[in-house]
Amino acid sequence: MPRSEHTTPRAPAATVAIAGASGFVGRALTRALAPTHDVIALARSAKGHDERDGVVWRACDLFNLRAAESALEGAEVAVYLVHSMMPSARLTQGRFDDLDLICADNFARAAAKNGVRHIVYLGGLLPAAEDELSRHLESRFEVERTLAAHGVAVTTLRAGLIIGAGGSSFDMMARLVGRLPFMLGPSWTRSLSQPIALDDAVALLEAAVARPELAGRAYDIAGPDVVSYADMLRMTGAAQGRRTRVLTLPIRTVKLSLLWVSVITGASQALVRPLVESLRHDMVARDGLELQRLVGLEAQPLRAALEQAVRDEKARAGRAATARPRAASARDRRVCSVQRLRVREGRDATSVAEEYVRWLPRFMRPLLRVTVDEARTCRFYLWPLRDALLELTFSNDRSSRDRQLFYVTGGSLLGASEGARPRLEFREVLGGAYVLAAIHDFVPRLPWYIYKYTQAQVHLFVMRGFARHLAHEIDAVAPA
């Protein structure tokens, strides 16, 4: 069936929440769903977005469970398009995959609390050797599992490169071939990829939203063409009306690739790194494109997708040139710090939090005096001062077996909270294999340059010590 004729049997119009609605895929999906669904578009800020019929924009901080719960109120279906999420904090301590886990877990918990019946997730194609995943692809897979961990049915669409104007992968390719008519490529440019056009990815997301009976499965989605990255660069050049030559060398250097791609394209290494690290894998669909057959979608050839993306990018660049620049926001003084703790079998977030308040006074004794009362309120004192440096108050109301929450309620090191509630939490993830220890929305009273090299480093020192303490428990019970 030609793509223009494909139709998807629709469920009755539903209220659909889209996390990541202001992103590359999110914008296109919001436009596609708005005529037939009530859409709740979630973004960091609700300001500056078009309020078209059927679309309501809500601000949502996915690092905050309470904010996620409010954002998903009234949603029947939720779409998760968030990847490599970074908090809007001045100081972030933690790996991107741990930050992604917190956002996904908050989204899944909020969906369950609000009675959302179905989550649709856009993840990444997985190579055949799933035990050798890059951190970027492993994170996508962890998010997939986390979204399904709280009882809401999940449909996962796994895609490789999505070809469209405004997409980070296409933009980097377009800049490379636009600035370099000849390239010496490392060996990863021989890896195979099976890209999909943005329009086709959006059509399949629409189909997944409309067919909740398909939930509980992961489906590979892709276009009809399997090509090497070198060939894709040549085809991108041809779509731009250029002749691009690529010579592949028998070397594989991630650091060198990061450097030259970042320098030539102007993209940050933080954006380039997960993409380049994933290129060592062949990213090819493995399930026979089952979902596409089910909905009758004939995907666009890669050449047509690239030509469309080049046309759309020219139009997009023209609009951007006449748009009024947004005012820069004030720098956020908040702190976000996340550490992943490996725990022995049988431990949950509750027992980890209880162990933390038992262990902490002993560990800190040479440096600080720490007191813990029966309500598990922790206070930190510097010898011989009588006023607490920090006070942590345990929250019974917001805690559960798999998530323990302490609010930072006082102390001379606590600055003005700026409308947020600073907190420390212990959160069980990935079936109990790990617990995340995370500080959110903490604003220090110390001057920033002093805080960064003193209090922030002490916190890391403490959490790394606690991680070693938990690791010793695992070693102690391991069979000889």
Side-chain angles (χ1 to χ4, degrees):
M1 180 182 294
R3 183 180 176 279
S4 59
E5 298 177 14
H6 110 273
T7 58
T8 300
R10 290 191 178 275
T15 299
V16 183
I18 303 175
S22 60
F24 163 55
V25 178
R27 293 191 302 270
L29 182 61
T30 298
R31 289 193 298 269
L33 290 177
T36 53
H37 295 77
D38 294 324
V39 177
I40 302 170
L42 307 181
R44 287 186 188 270
S45 173
K47 298 178 181 178
H49 299 287
D50 293 335
E51 291 283 354
R52 58 172 56 90
D53 290 343
V55 178
V56 174
W57 285 88
R58 292 180 183 172
C60 179
D61 177 7
L62 284 174
F63 289 96
N64 187 318
L65 177 57
R66 195 186 294 271
E69 291 169 351
S70 297
L72 288 180
E73 285 182 3
E76 299 169 88
V77 180
V79 182
Y80 195 77
L81 304 175
V82 176
H83 299 298
S84 298
M85 185 71 166
M86 295 298 290
S88 56
R90 186 170 180 179
L91 176 65
T92 300
Q93 298 171 323
R95 298 177 11 156
F96 77 88
D97 44 351
D98 295 339
L99 300 170
D100 277 357
L101 264 186
I102 285 183
C103 291
D105 195 57
N106 278 339
F107 191 81
R109 289 172 185 266
K113 181 172 182 178
N114 281 288
V116 172
R117 63 173 184 260
H118 182 205
I119 293 173
V120 176
Y121 169 55
L122 180 62
L125 284 176
L126 298 179
E130 293 184 9
D131 57 337
E132 299 179 0
L133 298 180
S134 69
R135 276 180 57 193
H136 178 62
L137 291 178
E138 179 65 34
S139 176
R140 295 276 186 104
F141 190 39
E142 287 182 345
V143 167
E144 180 180 318
R145 292 153 56 196
T146 299
L147 290 173
H150 296 283
V152 180
V154 177
T155 302
T156 298
L157 276 57
R158 294 175 177 165
L161 294 183
I162 298 179
I163 304 298
S168 56
S169 301
F170 170 76
D171 282 356
M172 279 191 279
M173 287 195 302
R175 291 178 193 174
L176 279 174
V177 302
R179 298 171 183 177
L180 295 176
F182 178 76
M183 282 179 263
L184 295 175
S187 58
W188 55 255
T189 56
R190 294 196 187 104
S191 297
L192 298 179
S193 177
Q194 194 170 358
I196 185 169
L198 173 62
D199 287 349
D200 293 335
V202 168
L204 292 167
L205 286 165
E206 283 187 88
V209 167
R211 300 181 64 170
E213 69 274 11
L214 300 179
R217 286 278 311 276
Y219 300 90
D220 290 354
I221 64 172
D225 301 304
V226 177
V227 297
S228 69
Y229 289 99
D231 285 339
M232 198 171 356
L233 288 167
R234 297 184 186 101
M235 293 173 71
T236 302
Q240 293 180 338
R242 305 173 186 273
R243 185 179 181 187
T244 302
R245 298 175 176 87
V246 182
L247 176 62
T248 300
L249 301 177
I251 57 173
R252 183 186 296 272
T253 57
V254 172
K255 289 184 178 179
L256 182 60
S257 298
L258 278 173
L259 179 62
W260 73 264
V261 172
S262 180
V263 168
I264 298 301
T265 65
S268 68
Q269 289 198 23
L271 177 63
V272 175
R273 180 181 296 276
L275 298 172
V276 170
E277 287 180 346
S278 298
L279 296 183
R280 72 173 187 260
H281 303 295
D282 287 336
M283 304 290 286
V284 177
R286 291 187 290 149
D287 72 348
L289 304 181
E290 181 180 354
L291 180 62
Q292 290 164 233
R293 292 201 317 273
L294 284 172
V295 304
L297 175 71
E298 186 176 326
Q300 297 179 57
L302 176 57
R303 191 177 305 277
L306 287 169
E307 290 171 352
Q308 182 65 54
V310 169
R311 290 193 296 270
D312 292 345
E313 183 57 37
K314 289 180 180 178
R316 180 172 170 266
R319 291 192 299 272
T322 59
R324 180 181 299 177
R326 293 185 181 180
S329 59
R331 295 194 72 183
D332 195 328
R333 294 192 69 247
R334 292 179 298 169
V335 171
C336 176
S337 182
V338 181
Q339 288 76 45
R340 186 182 300 212
L341 309 174
R342 192 164 61 99
V343 297
R344 63 172 171 79
E345 186 177 355
R347 275 216 181 274
D348 55 19
T350 299
S351 66
V352 168
E354 290 171 348
E355 182 64 20
Y356 176 74
V357 299
R358 282 194 297 266
W359 167 87
L360 188 62
R362 300 195 304 271
F363 182 77
M364 298 300 294
R365 189 171 296 143
L367 178 64
L368 299 174
R369 177 168 60 93
V370 179
T371 65
V372 182
D373 64 21
E374 292 183 356
R376 293 165 66 188
T377 301
C378 302
R379 294 182 179 89
F380 297 75
Y381 299 88
L382 182 65
W383 303 96
L385 302 181
R386 299 181 61 182
D387 293 334
L389 299 176
L390 285 174
E391 179 183 83
L392 304 180
T393 302
F394 179 67
S395 172
N396 278 301
D397 293 341
R398 296 291 294 173
S399 294
S400 59
R401 178 196 58 78
D402 58 356
R403 179 176 178 262
Q404 297 281 286
L405 181 64
F406 297 80
Y407 286 113
V408 186
T409 51
S412 58
L413 293 180
L414 176 63
S417 61
E418 301 178 3
R421 298 189 70 182
R423 59 201 181 276
L424 166 68
E425 68 170 350
F426 294 91
R427 177 193 299 255
E428 185 179 320
V429 294
L430 299 175
Y434 300 96
V435 166
L436 296 180
I439 286 182
H440 303 284
D441 294 332
F442 180 80
V443 178
R445 179 168 291 177
L446 290 173
W448 191 259
Y449 60 91
I450 296 177
Y451 169 80
K452 186 175 179 180
Y453 296 105
T454 56
Q455 188 180 343
Q457 298 308 311
V458 170
H459 172 71
L460 276 183
F461 173 72
V462 171
M463 282 304 171
R464 288 168 180 167
F466 188 49
R468 290 192 298 271
H469 172 72
L470 295 176
H472 290 156
E473 288 188 341
I474 298 173
D475 295 338
V477 299

